Amino acid sequence: MSNLSIFKIGVGPSSSHTVGPMLASNLFCDLVDERIDHIAQVKIELYGSLSLTGRGHLTDVACIIGLNGIKAKDLSVSLKESILNLAHQDKKIHFNQKKMIDFDYQRDVVFYRDFLPLHENGMRLSVFDASKNLLTSQVYYSIGGGFVATEEELKNPIKKDSTKKLDLEFNSAKELLGLCSKHNKSIAELSLAYEEQFHSTEEIKRYCLDIWNVMQDSYHNGANAKDAILPGSLKLKRRAPYLASLQAKNSDPLAMVDLISLYAIAIAEENAAGGRVVTAPTNGACAVVPAVMLYLKSYLSEKFDEKGVIDFLLTAMAIGSLYKKNASISGAEAGCQAEIGSASSMAAAAAAQILGANNARVLSAAEIAMEHHLGLTCDPVDGLVQIPCIERNAFGALKAISAARMAMDRDEMSTPRVGLDEVIATMYQTGKDMDTRYKETALGGLALTLKSCC
């Protein structure tokens, strides 16, 4: 499949808890569309991490919006408000934009502490007729990065047809490096050639530039936000507007660190506010990749033209695909190492590509960035993508730049002892070994400590 969807335009605060459930609700609308004349009630049942941190991640809100037939990329602030007013004040859902049905939040949205068997992010959607008879029910799993799968799809994954092999295909860093060597291409060039099996060259380039424009808009909106307080129980004050005002008169020799932090914090705060951002590869880690890109734009403008933007994103998506295929990009499945760690790894590789690294060093940069995120837990306070998530995006971006520089400073004759494939496998196993309390449940770590102190 195409890797373009590693980057997708969505809304905050979470790809797996907001964008994914919204998509699942859209898919459910399509599933039951033929029976819409008989539908009188819809029920939303959330399990595991989707339940435990669902209110803070706006999972319930996302499902309501999705059942109204609205897609994440089309959502505006005014549309969101009208849908929620309809649901909570008028007690109605405009199901798939086709039929008004009664909706009672207390009755029709259920949060369970139990986990469904196939993934930590489980949900069930059901529709009933006027006599309360069940018409259709479907279980969905939000598997990270805004991707979803049904219960049937996870139990019986589609096997690849061996008679329809792609000319270019890679499932590991070793295979990627081998293909680059065979075709004498950089990783960015190989990634482009891979995508050209699914899309035209112009479509790919336009998609990348659209993604970049949304990333820049997210930064601008976050840095110039007028609402001082982020939504949610923590009443956290936005820091980006103040940091932006300081940056204009910053003559500190370490100003570069402050600038990268500003980029990341502004975008992460915009995500926490439910704004429009790019999943990269998740919403919780949405600021890492664009923060590094904005840094390159500021300090290396001559190298970071349109081609540089496209090469950066193509490199990052190739690396991101390796995590998606061989491990996880879901904090609920493998902890924050799967989100911030993957994003930092993607950004490090892409930065090294733009800075002129050879293919081996690009992969080395990706490995270094992930190696130093191993074991990072996902412990959002009160289930909100705010503490510690916002600052983690800044550290992920700084680590990415450090990893790129470190890989490029390696002696020409030295060979890394740890490869990217090994560190991806290690990350996934670490995530599987991690206690459930530290995987986006808000039942342990900082989430529990801060709650007990306040």
Side-chain angles (χ1 to χ4, degrees):
M1 60 183 292
S2 167
N3 292 326
L4 291 183
S5 56
I6 294 291
F7 296 106
K8 59 175 75 69
I9 298 168
V11 293
S14 171
S15 50
S16 59
H17 286 61
T18 313
V19 178
M22 197 181 300
L23 173 59
S25 300
N26 296 154
L27 295 172
F28 186 67
C29 285
D30 294 338
L31 177 68
V32 301
D33 190 61
E34 291 183 355
R35 310 189 71 177
I36 196 165
D37 291 341
H38 304 287
I39 295 173
Q41 180 189 349
V42 62
K43 189 172 186 179
I44 303 163
E45 296 173 284
L46 304 172
Y47 294 85
S49 180
L50 288 187
S51 172
L52 292 166
T53 60
R55 289 186 174 88
H57 286 80
L58 306 184
T59 305
D60 50 348
V61 170
C63 291
I64 292 168
I65 292 169
L67 291 171
N68 276 267
I70 304 301
K71 294 178 170 54
K73 66 181 181 63
D74 299 322
L75 187 65
S76 65
V77 173
S78 60
L79 181 56
K80 177 180 177 180
E81 288 178 352
S82 67
I83 289 172
L84 295 181
N85 286 337
L86 180 69
H88 294 296
Q89 295 178 17
D90 300 337
K91 295 194 172 185
K92 298 282 185 181
I93 279 181
H94 192 191
F95 195 86
N96 205 19
Q97 294 293 292
K98 293 183 177 180
K99 182 182 181 182
M100 286 290 184
I101 63 173
D102 292 334
F103 178 75
D104 183 334
Y105 181 90
Q106 299 302 323
R107 175 195 68 189
D108 298 330
V109 182
V110 185
F111 293 84
Y112 295 103
R113 294 178 67 90
D114 301 331
F115 286 76
L116 293 180
L118 300 182
H119 193 279
E120 289 76 1
N121 291 331
M123 58 185 286
R124 179 183 287 108
L125 298 173
S126 307
V127 284
F128 305 83
D129 64 17
S131 300
K132 301 194 180 303
N133 297 310
L134 177 66
L135 297 174
T136 306
S137 182
Q138 180 65 271
V139 171
Y140 294 95
Y141 291 95
S142 182
I143 57 177
F147 296 92
V148 298
T150 65
E151 187 174 32
E152 294 78 12
E153 287 167 343
L154 283 188
K155 283 183 175 178
N156 303 294
I158 298 172
K159 294 181 179 179
K160 288 189 291 186
D161 187 343
S162 58
T163 65
K164 296 182 179 179
K165 285 189 175 295
L166 297 170
D167 293 332
L168 287 177
E169 189 172 12
F170 57 91
N171 295 300
S172 67
K174 183 179 179 180
E175 290 178 2
L176 174 59
L177 193 60
L179 284 172
C180 288
S181 178
K182 177 181 177 181
H183 296 282
N184 193 28
K185 292 181 181 294
S186 69
I187 289 175
E189 291 169 339
L190 195 285
S191 181
L192 175 61
Y194 176 81
E195 292 303 322
E196 286 172 336
Q197 298 174 118
F198 308 96
H199 312 281
S200 72
T201 305
E202 285 308 309
E203 286 174 331
I204 297 163
K205 291 181 177 180
R206 184 169 61 250
Y207 187 88
C208 289
L209 294 175
D210 287 346
I211 289 296
W212 173 227
N213 286 334
V214 174
M215 287 176 170
Q216 293 178 96
D217 287 345
S218 299
Y219 164 67
H220 176 79
N221 293 338
N224 297 282
K226 302 304 180 186
D227 49 327
I229 305 298
L230 292 172
S233 57
L234 297 178
K235 306 299 180 186
L236 198 66
K237 184 177 180 180
R238 284 192 189 244
R239 294 158 63 189
Y242 176 68
L243 293 174
S245 68
L246 289 181
Q247 194 60 41
K249 48 192 175 183
N250 196 343
S251 59
D252 191 308
L254 293 177
M256 179 268 287
V257 174
D258 297 333
L259 185 60
I260 295 166
S261 296
L262 164 62
Y263 293 148
I265 288 171
I267 296 169
E269 287 180 345
E270 189 63 13
N271 175 65
R276 190 166 177 251
V277 295
V278 173
T279 298
T282 67
N283 278 40
C286 70
V288 176
V289 168
V292 175
M293 295 178 76
L294 288 163
Y295 160 73
L296 292 173
K297 178 185 176 184
S298 297
Y299 284 88
L300 296 169
S301 55
E302 72 285 354
K303 287 187 177 181
F304 209 63
D305 53 10
E306 280 194 0
K307 182 180 184 304
V309 168
I310 293 165
D311 285 351
F312 187 103
L313 291 173
L314 285 168
T315 303
M317 69 179 67
I319 301 302
S321 73
L322 298 179
Y323 285 98
K324 186 172 179 293
K325 290 173 184 174
N326 300 306
S328 175
I329 54 173
S330 166
E333 185 177 11
C336 197
Q337 56 172 1
E339 298 202 26
I340 293 290
S342 296
S344 186
S345 182
M346 292 162 58
Q353 176 80 80
I354 299 304
L355 294 170
N358 62 31
N359 292 330
R361 289 184 176 184
V362 168
L363 296 181
S364 178
E367 183 281 321
I368 292 169
M370 175 51 81
E371 185 176 338
H372 301 290
H373 280 93
L374 289 176
L376 187 61
T377 59
C378 184
D379 50 352
V381 177
D382 217 16
L384 299 168
V385 191
Q386 297 179 16
I387 299 174
C389 318
I390 293 171
E391 289 180 352
R392 279 187 182 169
N393 275 268
F395 280 101
L398 289 164
K399 281 187 178 183
I401 295 168
S402 296
R405 297 293 298 252
M406 198 174 293
M408 294 183 70
D409 288 342
R410 184 181 293 279
D411 188 297
E412 287 283 356
M413 302 303 293
S414 68
T415 302
R417 295 296 296 272
V418 182
L420 180 57
D421 290 328
E422 288 76 23
V423 85
I424 290 174
T426 302
M427 183 273 277
Y428 192 48
Q429 186 59 55
T430 301
K432 288 300 182 184
D433 292 340
M434 195 179 288
D435 192 295
T436 301
R437 291 174 296 171
Y438 303 104
K439 293 192 287 188
E440 212 165 355
T441 58
L443 295 175
L446 192 60
L448 192 63
T449 305
L450 190 58
K451 186 175 183 180
S452 66
C453 292
C454 300

